Amino acid sequence: MTEHRFTLWRQDDNGIRARVADYPSRQAAEQARQHYEALGHKQIYWVEDNGEAGAQ
């Protein structure tokens, strides 16, 4: 079974984008996004669907 992966990204107030972490489900990634947003920093967080892990 191929695992579906979702990446949590952030962009800071200087426009610098960075990968935060990969998650096996959208739900887990969205929960992490909500956690980071609740910290009250100026960063913007979003989740991207990477498709199936290991796909060429």
Side-chain angles (χ1 to χ4, degrees):
M1 181 173 162
T2 303
E3 191 173 339
H4 211 75
R5 302 296 291 192
F6 296 85
T7 300
L8 176 61
W9 290 88
R10 82 162 191 200
Q11 180 174 314
D12 67 20
D13 55 337
N14 294 314
I16 298 172
R17 296 178 180 189
R19 172 179 273 171
V20 177
D22 292 320
Y23 296 89
S25 69
R26 179 172 293 279
Q27 180 181 9
E30 290 292 348
Q31 286 176 341
R33 180 189 58 78
Q34 291 173 2
H35 167 77
Y36 283 105
E37 287 181 344
L39 296 175
H41 298 289
K42 294 181 181 179
Q43 289 89 6
I44 298 168
Y45 294 92
W46 70 95
V47 173
E48 288 186 2
D49 183 345
N50 296 323
E52 293 180 343
Q56 301 285 341

